[in-house]
């Protein structure tokens, strides 16, 4: 976006920020209802910025931590990009079109051992989950920072190190869903996609800037990505391990960290087929990609994109391609994981473990 266009859009940003500020004021005053669930702790993971902060792997980290503590968590999302409506509990027959690509990815990641549900109205979603899964001890909300109808017990705010919220502006001038002051609702701020060896001095500087908008002394943690070995996507012709010459296929908000990792790992990306976040691939697009594939090459993609490639309508086209996805896990810098665990533990006393 050019500087002049940004200036022209500023009035719209001020208007949008004012509307969001008014909405938040009504919730803060109690004039708009926000429901708390005292019996089951609700943990929210979200951001101020539109897309690309790493919510999915951080949600997976949180759910896995809860399971390690003996808890029985469920995951609730609105199911962005799905073509269904209302509450829906994920089943093995679901696809990205029925529950959304990120919920499908989580359902597959936990092999169906963690209930994953979607609902535009999180209050209804939580109520339904508790009815259907009475042994639940926690609900994790994915991308619900602006969903004020639910009052979470614990609010985790994510912000990307290369694109921090404190340097951004409200839509449409920038990419913020609400003003920077929304960070004041966070119980912890996690700065994501950091270099693994981000210096203590850099961390301290970022922390100071975060706390200009967050509550004083709010914990500020830092995380990075650990990339795993390529995994063959079921239903494709992928076997063994990919060679050095690859085509990259992405439909995510921020593919640059993956590109950097692949380059450092010795892969040569001959072409990057880059689509918008949550893009629904068509059979024509997959066939076009196959036509450009040279002998010995394969396709690398993300786990979220791989979930969308499993749509039945794409089966015939995808079967001809050797497709691998690169798994991603979150790792906290220094003692970040222990600090986050210490913040969460009081919500799960020993007597609540089943």
């Amino acid at each position: 976006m050019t500087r002049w266009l940004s200036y022209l859009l500023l009035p719209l940003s001020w208007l949008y920020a004012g509307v969001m500020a008014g909405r938040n004021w009504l919730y803060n005053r109690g004039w708009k209802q926000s429901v708390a669930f005292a019996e089951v702790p609700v943990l929210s993971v979200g951001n101020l910025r539109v897309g690309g902060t790493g919510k999915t792997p951080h949600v997976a980290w949180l759910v896995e931590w809860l399971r390690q503590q003996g808890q029985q968590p469920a995951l609730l999302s609105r199911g962005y990009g799905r073509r269904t409506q209302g509450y829906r509990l994920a089943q093995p027959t679901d696809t990205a079109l029925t529950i959304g690509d990120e919920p499908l990815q989580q359902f597959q990641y936990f092999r169906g051992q963690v209930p994953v549900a979607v609902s535009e109205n999180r209050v209804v979603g939580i109520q339904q989950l508790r009815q259907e899964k009475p042994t639940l001890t926690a609900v994790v909300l994915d991308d619900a920072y602006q969903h004020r109808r639910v009052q979470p017990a614990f609010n985790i705010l994510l912000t990307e190190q290369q694109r921090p919220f404190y340097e951004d502006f409200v839509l449409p001038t920038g990419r913020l869903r609400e003003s920077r002051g929304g960070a004041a609702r966070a119980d912890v701020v996690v700065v994501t996609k950091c270099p693994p060896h981000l210096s203590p001095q850099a961390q301290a500087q970022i922390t100071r800037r975060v706390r200009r908008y967050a509550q004083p002394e709010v914990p500020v943690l830092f995380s990075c990505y650990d990339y795993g070995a390529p995994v063959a996507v079921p239903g494709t012709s992928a076997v063994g391990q990919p060679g050095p010459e690859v085509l990259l296929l992405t439909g995510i908000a921020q593919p640059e960290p993956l590109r950097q990792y692949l380059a450092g790992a010795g892969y040569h990306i001959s072409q990057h087929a880059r689509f918008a976040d949550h893009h629904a691939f068509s059979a024509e697009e997959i066939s076009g990609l196959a036509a450009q594939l040279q002998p010995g090459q394969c396709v690398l993609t993300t786990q979220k994109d791989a979930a969308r490639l499993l749509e039945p309508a794409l089966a015939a086209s995808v079967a001809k391609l050797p497709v691998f996805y690169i798994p991603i896990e979150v790792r906290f810098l220094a003692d970040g994981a222990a600090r986050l665990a210490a913040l969460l533990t009081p919500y799960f006393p020993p007597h609540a473990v089943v």
Side-chain angles (χ1 to χ4, degrees):
M1 183 180 298
T2 66
R3 180 182 300 180
W4 289 110
L5 181 56
S6 297
Y7 289 150
L8 290 174
L9 292 175
L10 272 175
L12 293 177
S13 292
W14 294 334
L15 176 62
Y16 181 80
V19 170
M20 291 300 295
R23 175 179 179 271
N24 284 327
W25 184 82
L26 291 173
Y27 275 110
N28 294 339
R29 287 278 182 165
W31 292 357
K32 287 181 73 70
Q33 185 180 15
S34 185
V35 180
F37 293 85
E39 300 85 356
V40 176
V42 176
L43 313 177
S44 173
V45 181
N47 55 20
L48 297 180
R49 193 176 189 273
V50 176
T53 56
K55 290 186 301 294
T56 301
H58 283 81
V59 166
W61 184 96
L62 179 58
V63 171
E64 187 57 45
W65 180 85
L66 288 167
R67 296 179 71 202
Q68 291 173 1
Q69 311 314 304
Q71 302 298 321
Q72 295 189 27
L75 201 160
L76 179 63
S77 169
R78 63 172 172 162
Y80 183 84
R82 65 183 174 127
R83 297 181 182 175
T84 59
Q85 293 183 336
Y87 172 84
R88 188 180 183 98
L89 183 65
Q91 303 294 330
T93 54
D94 274 307
T95 69
L97 293 181
T98 59
I99 60 173
D101 52 4
E102 291 172 353
L104 179 62
Q105 178 183 341
Q106 300 286 19
F107 184 75
Q108 294 171 342
Y109 179 80
F110 290 107
R111 297 182 174 86
Q113 298 176 6
V114 172
V116 176
V118 294
S119 179
E120 301 90 339
N121 187 325
R122 269 53 162 227
V123 174
V124 171
I126 294 172
Q127 292 170 341
Q128 284 289 112
L129 271 171
R130 292 184 61 201
Q131 290 179 11
E132 297 181 11
K133 305 292 181 179
T135 60
L136 285 182
T137 60
V139 176
V140 177
L141 299 183
D142 182 8
D143 196 15
Y145 199 79
Q146 285 75 35
H147 194 86
R148 300 295 305 274
R149 293 183 190 177
V150 174
Q151 183 179 335
F154 195 80
N155 232 344
I156 301 175
L157 175 62
L158 307 181
T159 187
E160 192 180 0
Q161 188 252 344
Q162 292 293 326
R163 298 170 180 81
F165 73 86
Y166 53 74
E167 291 181 351
D168 208 343
F169 299 92
V170 174
L171 292 164
T173 300
R175 299 288 289 171
L176 296 185
R177 300 172 175 179
E178 59 177 302
S179 70
R180 301 171 185 178
R185 300 196 303 277
D187 295 298
V188 64
V189 177
V190 180
V191 183
T192 68
K193 303 182 185 179
C194 297
H197 304 292
L198 187 66
S199 71
Q201 294 80 9
Q203 294 183 37
Q205 182 180 15
I206 293 171
T207 298
R208 286 193 296 270
R209 299 192 69 179
V210 166
R211 286 180 177 160
R212 293 179 186 176
Y213 304 97
Q215 294 292 338
E217 305 305 318
V218 67
V220 180
L221 311 178
F222 298 83
S223 69
C224 65
Y225 281 165
D226 280 342
Y227 294 92
V231 177
V233 175
T236 74
S237 62
V239 292
Q241 286 293 298
E245 294 289 328
V246 300
L247 272 69
L248 181 61
L249 173 64
T250 63
I252 58 175
Q254 301 292 343
E256 286 79 11
L258 177 59
R259 285 182 59 98
Q260 294 172 5
Y261 163 75
L262 293 175
Y267 292 101
H268 175 254
I269 302 173
S270 61
Q271 180 185 345
H272 183 182
R274 180 172 180 172
F275 296 90
D277 197 15
H278 302 284
H279 177 74
F281 300 117
S282 68
E284 291 76 16
E285 289 167 343
I286 301 303
S287 297
L289 192 67
Q292 300 175 39
L293 202 65
Q294 301 298 316
Q297 290 183 333
C298 70
V299 177
L300 293 185
T301 191
T302 69
Q303 191 168 1
K304 185 168 81 168
D305 292 314
R308 275 179 274 122
L309 291 174
L310 298 178
E311 289 296 323
L314 302 178
S317 301
V318 168
K320 305 173 185 178
L321 287 175
V323 186
F324 298 81
Y325 73 81
I326 306 296
I328 295 175
E329 291 187 353
V330 163
R331 175 164 56 88
F332 284 89
L333 275 57
D335 60 347
R339 292 174 63 191
L340 181 54
L343 293 169
L344 294 169
T345 297
Y347 296 95
F348 303 98
H351 69 268
V353 176
V354 293

